[in-house]
Amino acid sequence: MSYGILSFGAYVPSLRLDRKAVFEAVGWATPNLRGLASGERSVANWDEDAITMAVEAGLDCLADTEFSVPHICMASTTFPFSDRSNSGLVADALNLQRSIATEDFGGSRRAGTSALSRALSNNESSLMIASDCREAQPGSVQEMNYGHGSACVLLGEGKPIAEFLSSSSEHEDLIDQYRANGIEYDYSLEERWVREEGWLKIAPEAMQGAASKAGIELSEIDHFVVHGNGGAVAALSKKLGIERSRFADDLKAICGDTGAAHPFLMLSNVLSNAGAGDTVMLVGFGQGVDALLIKTTDHLTTGRQGRGAERFMARRRATSNYTFYLSLRQRLSLDFGLRAERDNRTALSAFYRKRRDINAMIGGRCSSCDALQYPKSIICVSCGASDSQVEESLSGLTGRVKSFTEDWLAYTPSPPYIYGNVEFDGGANVMLEFTDFEPGSLRTGDEIRLAFRVKDRDEKRKFHRYFWKPAPLTRL
Amino acid sequence: MASGIRDKVAIIGMGCTRFGERWDCGPEELMVEAFNEALTDSGVSRDQIEMAWLGLFFQEQSAGKSGLPLSMGLRLPNIPVTRVENMCATGTEALRGAVYAVAAGACDIAMAVGVEKLKDTGYPGLPERSKGTFDDLWLPNATAPGAFAQLASAYQAKHGCDSIDLKRAMAHISVKSHDNGLLNPKAHLRRAITEEQAMNAPMIAAPLGLYDCCGVSDGAACAIVTSVEKAKEMGIKDMITVKAMQLAPSNGFEMSTTDWDGSYLQTTRIAAARAYKEAGITDPIKQLDMTEVHDCFSVTELVVMEDLGLCEEGGAIKAVLDGKFDKDGDVPCQIDGGLKCFGHPIGASGLRMAYEIYLQLQGKAGERQLDSPSMGLTHNLGGHPFRNVASVSVLGLHSE
């Protein structure tokens, strides 16, 4: 038993928008975007946000682990709630123990690396998730560069896949970009200035600082996780005299810059491919720099099976439909008719009574007849026994589609509204709303997994409620 | 030992409005129209009616809650009025209240009125509504067509039938109901359609297209009932009596266990078995001369034919395509056009079905009159296949 990074996870939404399609739609007004119009960016579905993506990364990280998580930390610049514990909801959805400390970190794209630096320095046991779902103004450079995603690491005592060596931080109020409270979009400054004054002056200090603390030379480090745009990585490589191949893939081709999540996401990709005993430097940038140095262990190759990049590369739905993307992300207001006027007020006292049933999809398994049922009830649906049900979460179950429809009458931001009966491998039957299925692709008998998603948005009161939805099961 | 409702209560008067988009009428006008027809038909005076039941489902959007809309609308002399609501079984539930009151001897003459004013909601289909504080947190915001469409996917999966055959049988059902509705002056939709039109119509909820869905209508229907003894005293001949009235709501079996495969309607089977027993029916195909079933969607009617025992399980596609339930078939179904074409004002629908059987048994159905029927069945299915209220009633010529 020793302390370190025990596991990691990552999530990139399956929907990938072809950047050429963006350029074809907006290039008449912004011909300068032509140079960015290659590859794909990830797009959160209408029912995804920083919380749901954080849950996905957490599920990926915690699968097949036996670790009891005493602390959860979520870092983001796009928390769905400013006052309601975002990490707390993620903890609930992951069905973590109730005696858990929850912390939300925001205010900077560096929030995740700063929190990680502190936790690792203090040998804290924690699930540290970074997740960001930044919107971008149509026709902007950010629209091209940004993507949505999340990633996380699990810290604690056990068989670490990587050990912490050192970290160093620098603060400088260099405002390369900012987003004031209540404002939708980032305001960015000239990339050359950010590169020259920021990346090339502040980053080397922190990177050198971390390396010195660990007693190694920067040139000895195997992987650099640096997420800068506009040639920052190339310039840094040149300045530090470190060959470009040691800088990790910035994932621009498959998902784009995921903000606070990006250092973690790039790290997850490195961990998916690195060898045992490799040193990895993780850099976070934004009004300063965090540099963290870790070293992978022999447990890496077994601990990473089926996690991270392998999964999000396999889950992919390509689209070239720019207005579809705009509408999903509420950048374009289509007329969805009278049914979209439905009042989605949530009775929060009723929700509180049923919070675990909803957040962790806790059903009941009858101790008399073994029938699993959702929702759980006082009286068993199968044998009629009273007060016999033991709580059991369905969220990790897979299942098969028993019946379904593609409904063009019901309102959904992504028609058709697909829903149906699912028979779970644990034995329950539940009628559920589906997500991430292409119209016309679903068949009875198809296998599904469950994804934590926004169920409804209450536009009047600006509340979102969440629940679990069947999504395509990708077997790796 | 309880003996059931068979041949204890007679229907002595009925009325039904024209169903449709009654832009010029509110719930009050509709109730009065149905009531006046029933009252004239019964020959009793309004003061003789001692108790009433009002069936009304989407109360918020039309008349308001409680028994008041009926009492106020008809200016009733302060008699007890109970509002009942059991989804699409609401109309039948109102009739059940009146029938049971008379059977219990609580009064001599009782009345049931069902009404729905749907066309003020602004929705082309059924309006959106809350499912309650907990269900809203997890159940899909399903529409009726979407929920019933799943009968088709599950039926197809279970019986391994060809999707085109299934779609053609569904189309046959709709074509038949349109043909029947054409002969009914009170029907909402009076226009013949072709099988091709039905099969190629715009998709509402796959595989249900526009012509697989029933009309959403305004309308009201009314029944006046009394005991068989009282009816005899009144000198009524060729009496129409209630043979059975059964109700079966879901208890979670369909939605929360893995024992239901989604291809049939569990509650309909239970209600039908009870109703057949109560009515003394052992061979429904021979003993029933007609049915008015809950054809909210074509596929519902298809599986209901099996659930009522009118064809063998897995045999509905063939039976439908063979015309077994057509106007000239073994057991004609929806001779008045059904929900499909007569229309579906929720609270009135169960009473509308009874109205058609009442007319047919008396030989008063005009152009669409069947050849001397003596017993008919009504069926409602309120809610969705996975959670619903089913009602099955049998009405027939009185037999001692």
Short mmCIF file of all heavy atoms in Angstrom, two decimals, chain A residues 422-462:
data_model
loop_
_atom_site.label_atom_id
_atom_site.label_comp_id
_atom_site.label_asym_id
_atom_site.label_seq_id
_atom_site.Cartn_x
_atom_site.Cartn_y
_atom_site.Cartn_z
N VAL A 422 -37.14 -1.02 -20.74
CA VAL A 422 -35.84 -1.68 -20.70
C VAL A 422 -35.90 -2.79 -19.67
O VAL A 422 -36.38 -2.59 -18.56
CB VAL A 422 -34.73 -0.68 -20.32
CG1 VAL A 422 -33.41 -1.40 -20.12
CG2 VAL A 422 -34.60 0.38 -21.39
N GLU A 423 -35.43 -3.96 -20.06
CA GLU A 423 -35.30 -5.04 -19.09
C GLU A 423 -33.83 -5.12 -18.68
O GLU A 423 -32.95 -5.31 -19.52
CB GLU A 423 -35.76 -6.37 -19.67
CG GLU A 423 -35.76 -7.47 -18.62
CD GLU A 423 -36.53 -8.71 -19.06
OE1 GLU A 423 -37.56 -8.56 -19.75
OE2 GLU A 423 -36.09 -9.81 -18.71
N PHE A 424 -33.59 -4.93 -17.38
CA PHE A 424 -32.21 -4.88 -16.89
C PHE A 424 -31.70 -6.27 -16.55
O PHE A 424 -32.47 -7.17 -16.21
CB PHE A 424 -32.12 -3.95 -15.68
CG PHE A 424 -32.21 -2.50 -16.08
CD1 PHE A 424 -33.43 -1.84 -16.06
CD2 PHE A 424 -31.10 -1.83 -16.52
CE1 PHE A 424 -33.53 -0.52 -16.45
CE2 PHE A 424 -31.17 -0.51 -16.92
CZ PHE A 424 -32.39 0.15 -16.89
N ASP A 425 -30.39 -6.38 -16.62
CA ASP A 425 -29.78 -7.67 -16.34
C ASP A 425 -29.97 -8.08 -14.88
O ASP A 425 -29.90 -9.24 -14.54
CB ASP A 425 -28.30 -7.65 -16.74
CG ASP A 425 -28.15 -7.47 -18.24
OD1 ASP A 425 -29.07 -7.92 -18.97
OD2 ASP A 425 -27.17 -6.86 -18.70
N GLY A 426 -30.22 -7.11 -14.02
CA GLY A 426 -30.51 -7.42 -12.62
C GLY A 426 -31.95 -7.86 -12.40
O GLY A 426 -32.32 -8.24 -11.30
N GLY A 427 -32.79 -7.79 -13.46
CA GLY A 427 -34.14 -8.33 -13.35
C GLY A 427 -35.26 -7.33 -13.34
O GLY A 427 -36.42 -7.70 -13.31
N ALA A 428 -34.96 -6.02 -13.35
CA ALA A 428 -36.04 -5.03 -13.30
C ALA A 428 -36.47 -4.61 -14.69
O ALA A 428 -35.71 -4.72 -15.65
CB ALA A 428 -35.58 -3.80 -12.51
N ASN A 429 -37.70 -4.10 -14.78
CA ASN A 429 -38.20 -3.50 -16.01
C ASN A 429 -38.53 -2.04 -15.72
O ASN A 429 -39.24 -1.76 -14.76
CB ASN A 429 -39.46 -4.22 -16.47
CG ASN A 429 -40.04 -3.59 -17.72
OD1 ASN A 429 -39.65 -3.92 -18.82
ND2 ASN A 429 -40.98 -2.68 -17.56
N VAL A 430 -38.01 -1.13 -16.53
CA VAL A 430 -38.30 0.29 -16.30
C VAL A 430 -38.53 0.98 -17.64
O VAL A 430 -37.80 0.74 -18.61
CB VAL A 430 -37.13 1.01 -15.57
CG1 VAL A 430 -37.59 2.39 -15.07
CG2 VAL A 430 -36.61 0.20 -14.39
N MET A 431 -39.55 1.84 -17.67
CA MET A 431 -39.81 2.69 -18.84
C MET A 431 -38.95 3.93 -18.72
O MET A 431 -39.04 4.65 -17.73
CB MET A 431 -41.30 3.05 -18.86
CG MET A 431 -41.64 4.17 -19.81
SD MET A 431 -41.83 3.64 -21.50
CE MET A 431 -43.54 3.13 -21.46
N LEU A 432 -38.13 4.18 -19.72
CA LEU A 432 -37.17 5.27 -19.61
C LEU A 432 -37.03 6.05 -20.92
O LEU A 432 -37.28 5.51 -22.00
CB LEU A 432 -35.79 4.71 -19.22
CG LEU A 432 -35.68 4.09 -17.82
CD1 LEU A 432 -34.43 3.24 -17.71
CD2 LEU A 432 -35.71 5.16 -16.75
N GLU A 433 -36.61 7.28 -20.78
CA GLU A 433 -36.25 8.12 -21.92
C GLU A 433 -34.82 7.77 -22.34
O GLU A 433 -33.95 7.66 -21.51
CB GLU A 433 -36.32 9.60 -21.49
CG GLU A 433 -35.82 10.57 -22.53
CD GLU A 433 -35.76 12.00 -21.99
OE1 GLU A 433 -36.40 12.30 -20.98
OE2 GLU A 433 -35.04 12.81 -22.60
N PHE A 434 -34.61 7.60 -23.64
CA PHE A 434 -33.30 7.22 -24.16
C PHE A 434 -32.51 8.47 -24.59
O PHE A 434 -33.09 9.51 -24.84
CB PHE A 434 -33.45 6.30 -25.38
CG PHE A 434 -33.97 4.92 -25.05
CD1 PHE A 434 -35.09 4.74 -24.27
CD2 PHE A 434 -33.32 3.79 -25.54
CE1 PHE A 434 -35.57 3.46 -23.97
CE2 PHE A 434 -33.80 2.50 -25.25
CZ PHE A 434 -34.92 2.35 -24.47
N THR A 435 -31.21 8.30 -24.70
CA THR A 435 -30.41 9.41 -25.18
C THR A 435 -29.27 8.90 -26.06
O THR A 435 -28.88 7.73 -25.97
CB THR A 435 -29.84 10.24 -24.00
OG1 THR A 435 -29.30 11.47 -24.52
CG2 THR A 435 -28.76 9.50 -23.24
N ASP A 436 -28.76 9.78 -26.91
CA ASP A 436 -27.60 9.51 -27.77
C ASP A 436 -27.85 8.47 -28.86
O ASP A 436 -26.89 7.98 -29.46
CB ASP A 436 -26.38 9.07 -26.94
CG ASP A 436 -25.74 10.24 -26.19
OD1 ASP A 436 -26.23 11.37 -26.35
OD2 ASP A 436 -24.76 10.01 -25.46
N PHE A 437 -29.11 8.11 -29.10
CA PHE A 437 -29.39 7.19 -30.22
C PHE A 437 -29.75 8.00 -31.45
O PHE A 437 -30.51 8.96 -31.38
CB PHE A 437 -30.55 6.25 -29.88
CG PHE A 437 -30.17 5.13 -28.95
CD1 PHE A 437 -30.38 5.25 -27.59
CD2 PHE A 437 -29.59 3.97 -29.44
CE1 PHE A 437 -30.01 4.22 -26.72
CE2 PHE A 437 -29.22 2.94 -28.59
CZ PHE A 437 -29.43 3.06 -27.23
N GLU A 438 -29.21 7.60 -32.57
CA GLU A 438 -29.58 8.24 -33.83
C GLU A 438 -30.98 7.77 -34.21
O GLU A 438 -31.31 6.59 -34.04
CB GLU A 438 -28.62 7.79 -34.95
CG GLU A 438 -27.22 8.33 -34.83
CD GLU A 438 -27.15 9.83 -35.04
OE1 GLU A 438 -27.96 10.36 -35.81
OE2 GLU A 438 -26.29 10.46 -34.39
N PRO A 439 -31.81 8.67 -34.75
CA PRO A 439 -33.14 8.23 -35.21
C PRO A 439 -32.99 7.06 -36.18
O PRO A 439 -32.12 7.07 -37.05
CB PRO A 439 -33.69 9.47 -35.93
CG PRO A 439 -32.94 10.62 -35.36
CD PRO A 439 -31.59 10.11 -34.97
N GLY A 440 -33.84 6.07 -35.99
CA GLY A 440 -33.85 4.93 -36.91
C GLY A 440 -32.83 3.85 -36.56
O GLY A 440 -32.79 2.82 -37.22
N SER A 441 -32.03 4.07 -35.52
CA SER A 441 -30.96 3.10 -35.25
C SER A 441 -31.35 2.06 -34.20
O SER A 441 -30.72 1.01 -34.11
CB SER A 441 -29.70 3.84 -34.77
OG SER A 441 -29.92 4.40 -33.49
N LEU A 442 -32.37 2.35 -33.40
CA LEU A 442 -32.69 1.47 -32.27
C LEU A 442 -33.53 0.28 -32.71
O LEU A 442 -34.37 0.39 -33.59
CB LEU A 442 -33.44 2.30 -31.22
CG LEU A 442 -33.57 1.74 -29.81
CD1 LEU A 442 -32.20 1.54 -29.18
CD2 LEU A 442 -34.38 2.69 -28.94
N ARG A 443 -33.27 -0.87 -32.07
CA ARG A 443 -34.05 -2.09 -32.32
C ARG A 443 -34.39 -2.74 -30.99
O ARG A 443 -33.62 -2.62 -30.04
CB ARG A 443 -33.24 -3.09 -33.16
CG ARG A 443 -32.82 -2.58 -34.54
CD ARG A 443 -34.00 -2.55 -35.52
NE ARG A 443 -33.62 -2.05 -36.83
CZ ARG A 443 -33.62 -0.74 -37.16
NH1 ARG A 443 -34.01 0.17 -36.29
NH2 ARG A 443 -33.25 -0.35 -38.37
N THR A 444 -35.52 -3.46 -30.94
CA THR A 444 -35.79 -4.22 -29.72
C THR A 444 -34.68 -5.26 -29.58
O THR A 444 -34.19 -5.81 -30.56
CB THR A 444 -37.16 -4.94 -29.78
OG1 THR A 444 -37.25 -5.65 -31.00
CG2 THR A 444 -38.32 -3.97 -29.68
N GLY A 445 -34.29 -5.48 -28.33
CA GLY A 445 -33.21 -6.42 -28.07
C GLY A 445 -31.85 -5.76 -27.98
O GLY A 445 -30.89 -6.38 -27.52
N ASP A 446 -31.75 -4.49 -28.41
CA ASP A 446 -30.45 -3.78 -28.33
C ASP A 446 -30.00 -3.66 -26.87
O ASP A 446 -30.81 -3.48 -25.97
CB ASP A 446 -30.57 -2.37 -28.93
CG ASP A 446 -30.49 -2.38 -30.44
OD1 ASP A 446 -30.36 -3.48 -31.01
OD2 ASP A 446 -30.56 -1.30 -31.05
N GLU A 447 -28.69 -3.71 -26.68
CA GLU A 447 -28.13 -3.55 -25.35
C GLU A 447 -27.93 -2.08 -25.03
O GLU A 447 -27.54 -1.29 -25.89
CB GLU A 447 -26.77 -4.24 -25.26
CG GLU A 447 -26.86 -5.75 -25.21
CD GLU A 447 -25.49 -6.36 -24.97
OE1 GLU A 447 -24.58 -6.07 -25.77
OE2 GLU A 447 -25.35 -7.09 -23.98
N ILE A 448 -28.19 -1.72 -23.78
CA ILE A 448 -28.00 -0.33 -23.35
C ILE A 448 -27.21 -0.28 -22.04
O ILE A 448 -27.14 -1.24 -21.31
CB ILE A 448 -29.35 0.40 -23.16
CG1 ILE A 448 -30.23 -0.31 -22.12
CG2 ILE A 448 -30.11 0.49 -24.48
CD1 ILE A 448 -30.09 0.17 -20.72
N ARG A 449 -26.63 0.90 -21.81
CA ARG A 449 -26.10 1.22 -20.49
C ARG A 449 -26.88 2.42 -20.00
O ARG A 449 -27.69 2.99 -20.74
CB ARG A 449 -24.61 1.58 -20.60
CG ARG A 449 -24.39 2.93 -21.27
CD ARG A 449 -22.94 3.37 -21.32
NE ARG A 449 -22.85 4.69 -21.91
CZ ARG A 449 -22.61 5.81 -21.23
NH1 ARG A 449 -22.39 5.78 -19.94
NH2 ARG A 449 -22.57 6.99 -21.84
N LEU A 450 -26.66 2.85 -18.76
CA LEU A 450 -27.36 4.02 -18.27
C LEU A 450 -26.40 5.21 -18.17
O LEU A 450 -25.24 5.06 -17.78
CB LEU A 450 -27.97 3.74 -16.90
CG LEU A 450 -29.21 2.86 -16.93
CD1 LEU A 450 -29.63 2.47 -15.53
CD2 LEU A 450 -30.37 3.55 -17.65
N ALA A 451 -26.91 6.37 -18.55
CA ALA A 451 -26.12 7.61 -18.48
C ALA A 451 -26.90 8.61 -17.64
O ALA A 451 -28.12 8.73 -17.78
CB ALA A 451 -25.88 8.16 -19.87
N PHE A 452 -26.20 9.34 -16.79
CA PHE A 452 -26.82 10.37 -15.96
C PHE A 452 -26.95 11.65 -16.79
O PHE A 452 -25.96 12.16 -17.28
CB PHE A 452 -25.94 10.63 -14.73
CG PHE A 452 -26.55 11.50 -13.68
CD1 PHE A 452 -27.63 11.05 -12.94
CD2 PHE A 452 -26.05 12.78 -13.42
CE1 PHE A 452 -28.20 11.85 -11.95
CE2 PHE A 452 -26.61 13.58 -12.44
CZ PHE A 452 -27.68 13.12 -11.70
N ARG A 453 -28.16 12.11 -16.97
CA ARG A 453 -28.40 13.24 -17.87
C ARG A 453 -29.42 14.21 -17.30
O ARG A 453 -30.16 13.88 -16.37
CB ARG A 453 -28.93 12.73 -19.23
CG ARG A 453 -27.93 11.88 -20.01
CD ARG A 453 -26.74 12.70 -20.43
NE ARG A 453 -25.70 11.89 -21.05
CZ ARG A 453 -25.59 11.69 -22.37
NH1 ARG A 453 -26.46 12.23 -23.18
NH2 ARG A 453 -24.60 10.96 -22.86
N VAL A 454 -29.48 15.38 -17.92
CA VAL A 454 -30.55 16.32 -17.60
C VAL A 454 -31.85 15.71 -18.08
O VAL A 454 -31.94 15.27 -19.23
CB VAL A 454 -30.33 17.68 -18.32
CG1 VAL A 454 -31.54 18.57 -18.16
CG2 VAL A 454 -29.08 18.36 -17.76
N LYS A 455 -32.83 15.61 -17.21
CA LYS A 455 -34.12 15.07 -17.65
C LYS A 455 -34.98 16.18 -18.24
O LYS A 455 -35.50 16.06 -19.34
CB LYS A 455 -34.85 14.38 -16.50
CG LYS A 455 -36.15 13.75 -17.00
CD LYS A 455 -36.86 12.97 -15.95
CE LYS A 455 -38.08 12.27 -16.56
NZ LYS A 455 -39.03 13.20 -17.15
N ASP A 456 -35.15 17.23 -17.48
CA ASP A 456 -35.95 18.36 -17.96
C ASP A 456 -35.30 19.65 -17.49
O ASP A 456 -34.66 19.69 -16.44
CB ASP A 456 -37.37 18.33 -17.37
CG ASP A 456 -38.16 17.11 -17.79
OD1 ASP A 456 -38.42 16.96 -18.99
OD2 ASP A 456 -38.50 16.29 -16.91
N ARG A 457 -35.51 20.69 -18.26
CA ARG A 457 -35.10 22.02 -17.83
C ARG A 457 -36.35 22.83 -17.52
O ARG A 457 -37.30 22.83 -18.29
CB ARG A 457 -34.30 22.72 -18.93
CG ARG A 457 -32.98 22.04 -19.23
CD ARG A 457 -32.14 22.89 -20.18
NE ARG A 457 -31.04 22.10 -20.72
CZ ARG A 457 -29.91 21.84 -20.06
NH1 ARG A 457 -29.75 22.30 -18.84
NH2 ARG A 457 -28.97 21.11 -20.62
N ASP A 458 -36.31 23.48 -16.38
CA ASP A 458 -37.40 24.38 -16.00
C ASP A 458 -36.97 25.78 -16.41
O ASP A 458 -36.20 26.43 -15.71
CB ASP A 458 -37.63 24.27 -14.49
CG ASP A 458 -38.73 25.20 -14.00
OD1 ASP A 458 -39.18 26.06 -14.79
OD2 ASP A 458 -39.13 25.06 -12.83
N GLU A 459 -37.42 26.21 -17.57
CA GLU A 459 -36.96 27.48 -18.11
C GLU A 459 -37.47 28.66 -17.29
O GLU A 459 -36.83 29.71 -17.24
CB GLU A 459 -37.38 27.63 -19.58
CG GLU A 459 -36.75 26.61 -20.53
CD GLU A 459 -35.21 26.71 -20.60
OE1 GLU A 459 -34.66 27.73 -20.16
OE2 GLU A 459 -34.58 25.75 -21.11
N LYS A 460 -38.62 28.47 -16.64
CA LYS A 460 -39.18 29.57 -15.84
C LYS A 460 -38.35 29.84 -14.61
O LYS A 460 -38.11 30.96 -14.23
CB LYS A 460 -40.59 29.19 -15.37
CG LYS A 460 -41.70 29.74 -16.22
CD LYS A 460 -43.03 29.49 -15.52
CE LYS A 460 -44.17 29.64 -16.50
NZ LYS A 460 -45.40 29.04 -15.99
N ARG A 461 -37.93 28.74 -13.96
CA ARG A 461 -37.25 28.90 -12.66
C ARG A 461 -35.78 28.58 -12.74
O ARG A 461 -35.09 28.52 -11.74
CB ARG A 461 -37.94 28.01 -11.62
CG ARG A 461 -39.41 28.33 -11.49
CD ARG A 461 -40.20 27.23 -10.80
NE ARG A 461 -41.63 27.42 -11.01
CZ ARG A 461 -42.31 26.93 -12.04
NH1 ARG A 461 -41.70 26.21 -12.97
NH2 ARG A 461 -43.59 27.17 -12.16
N LYS A 462 -35.32 28.32 -13.98
CA LYS A 462 -33.90 28.03 -14.23
C LYS A 462 -33.37 26.90 -13.34
O LYS A 462 -32.34 27.02 -12.69
CB LYS A 462 -33.05 29.31 -14.04
CG LYS A 462 -33.48 30.45 -14.94
CD LYS A 462 -33.30 30.12 -16.40
CE LYS A 462 -33.83 31.23 -17.31
NZ LYS A 462 -34.03 30.77 -18.68
#
